[in-house]
Amino acid sequence: ETQEAIRFLEGLTFEHLKVYTKNWLNKGYLQWLFIGNLTKDNCLDIFNKVNELIIPWKPLPKSEMSERRIIQLPHDEQTVYEYFIKNVENYEESNCAYGEFYECGTDPVRNHILCMILNTYLQTPIYDQLRTAEQLGYIVFSSYLEISGMYYFYIVVQSNVKSPQYIGIRCQDFLKQMQTKVQEISDEDFNQLVSSVNSDLTQKDLSVDTLKQRYWRQIDYFRYVFDRRENLSLIHI
């Protein structure tokens, strides 16, 4: 929280910084990603030079690395988090943001692909109804993401005309209507969705930065499955 960070910052002294700088490189671990016109020897040479600069340090055992955990939400229950923007010098904030997240499971193949298919089916109707027709906010979109192995489908609405409570009711009502339509989807329409998702999976990275982000996610989650996207495109739903 911003206010907690400010309070902590106000209590810091130069002595705190001196103590911290003596200890922060005692133990640690490095994860590297080299992308570009480099050979294996080039990469190892860069790594060794950097490693020499931070000696002495002890590699952190994997057993001591921080575990990434997520809260297991109760089944069929809503969990709500609210954060109120505090007024500063009589400035009244008119903007709000609403996000609705749905857990889809932890299967790195099945749940990932199903989230992609669901979002492909819903993203245009969500924008057309909530943004264009109802004008709930100036930013309206849906997407999917992975957090610590759990896959989520989510909707985000940012607005200066409606309250988060009202937006939430409209989002949930709209998804209930779409739930019926999803159950009635034809085989032909479903196959078109699958084809669209497969096309996204097999599309080449449009920039080095996109490639870097995709590879870094594998490193960041300690998976190192760098051909994961290619493997997903071979899965039959």
Side-chain angles (χ1 to χ4, degrees), residues 120-182:
T120 301
Y121 180 69
L122 290 176
Q123 60 183 350
T124 298
I126 284 173
Y127 184 88
D128 289 345
Q129 179 62 35
L130 303 180
R131 172 67 178 89
T132 305
E134 299 188 29
Q135 298 184 3
L136 294 184
Y138 47 86
I139 295 177
V140 177
F141 68 92
S142 69
S143 188
Y144 61 93
L145 81 164
E146 176 194 4
I147 302 176
S148 298
M150 176 64 73
Y151 290 88
Y152 299 86
F153 169 78
Y154 68 95
I155 301 174
V156 169
V157 178
Q158 192 165 323
S159 175
N160 60 357
V161 294
K162 298 294 184 181
S163 69
Q165 292 78 11
Y166 180 84
I167 294 171
I169 292 172
R170 292 304 307 130
C171 286
Q172 293 175 31
D173 287 346
F174 176 70
L175 287 179
K176 288 177 182 178
Q177 297 173 15
M178 293 303 298
Q179 187 175 16
T180 302
K181 294 185 178 181
V182 169

Side-chain angles (χ1 to χ4, degrees), residues 20-38:
Y20 179 75
T21 55
K22 289 180 179 179
N23 299 321
W24 76 288
L25 283 180
N26 283 349
K27 281 187 178 182
Y29 69 95
L30 299 176
Q31 297 193 94
W32 295 74
L33 173 62
F34 294 92
I35 292 182
N37 190 19
L38 294 165

Side-chain angles (χ1 to χ4, degrees), residues 1-218:
E1 298 290 352
T2 302
Q3 296 301 321
E4 290 182 8
I6 292 174
R7 286 195 297 269
F8 180 78
L9 185 62
E10 291 172 346
L12 281 180
T13 66
F14 183 64
E15 291 300 318
H16 291 135
L17 181 62
K18 288 169 62 177
V19 172
Y20 179 75
T21 55
K22 289 180 179 179
N23 299 321
W24 76 288
L25 283 180
N26 283 349
K27 281 187 178 182
Y29 69 95
L30 299 176
Q31 297 193 94
W32 295 74
L33 173 62
F34 294 92
I35 292 182
N37 190 19
L38 294 165
T39 66
K40 179 180 178 180
D41 289 337
N42 294 147
C43 297
L44 290 173
D45 184 55
I46 294 171
F47 167 79
N48 289 328
K49 287 180 178 178
V50 173
N51 202 36
E52 290 173 1
L53 292 174
I54 57 178
I55 287 178
W57 80 311
K58 297 178 181 178
L60 187 68
K62 193 171 182 178
S63 59
E64 294 183 22
M65 294 181 186
S66 298
E67 260 191 284
R68 292 183 175 180
R69 297 184 178 183
I70 55 175
I71 297 175
Q72 183 175 3
L73 299 177
H75 185 62
D76 287 338
E77 290 186 20
Q78 288 188 347
T79 302
V80 179
Y81 172 78
E82 293 182 342
Y83 177 77
F84 296 95
I85 301 175
K86 296 181 180 180
N87 293 338
V88 179
E89 295 181 357
N90 298 322
Y91 172 75
E92 186 173 347
E93 181 60 66
S94 60
N95 292 279
C96 71
Y98 175 85
E100 192 162 304
F101 291 75
Y102 293 89
E103 285 187 347
C104 299
T106 57
D107 190 307
V109 175
R110 182 177 184 275
N111 292 128
H112 186 181
I113 293 180
L114 289 176
C115 276
M116 293 183 71
I117 293 174
L118 181 63
N119 185 59
T120 301
Y121 180 69
L122 290 176
Q123 60 183 350
T124 298
I126 284 173
Y127 184 88
D128 289 345
Q129 179 62 35
L130 303 180
R131 172 67 178 89
T132 305
E134 299 188 29
Q135 298 184 3
L136 294 184
Y138 47 86
I139 295 177
V140 177
F141 68 92
S142 69
S143 188
Y144 61 93
L145 81 164
E146 176 194 4
I147 302 176
S148 298
M150 176 64 73
Y151 290 88
Y152 299 86
F153 169 78
Y154 68 95
I155 301 174
V156 169
V157 178
Q158 192 165 323
S159 175
N160 60 357
V161 294
K162 298 294 184 181
S163 69
Q165 292 78 11
Y166 180 84
I167 294 171
I169 292 172
R170 292 304 307 130
C171 286
Q172 293 175 31
D173 287 346
F174 176 70
L175 287 179
K176 288 177 182 178
Q177 297 173 15
M178 293 303 298
Q179 187 175 16
T180 302
K181 294 185 178 181
V182 169
Q183 294 171 350
E184 297 174 351
I185 191 172
S186 66
D187 291 341
E188 181 181 357
D189 289 340
F190 180 75
N191 289 332
Q192 288 181 355
L193 290 172
V194 173
S195 177
S196 176
V197 168
N198 190 64
S199 178
D200 290 340
L201 288 171
T202 54
Q203 183 182 22
K204 293 184 178 180
D205 295 297
L206 301 179
S207 67
V208 174
D209 184 63
T210 304
L211 177 66
K212 180 264 296 182
Q213 292 179 23
R214 185 159 61 86
Y215 283 173
W216 185 254
R217 279 195 293 270
Q218 294 299 315

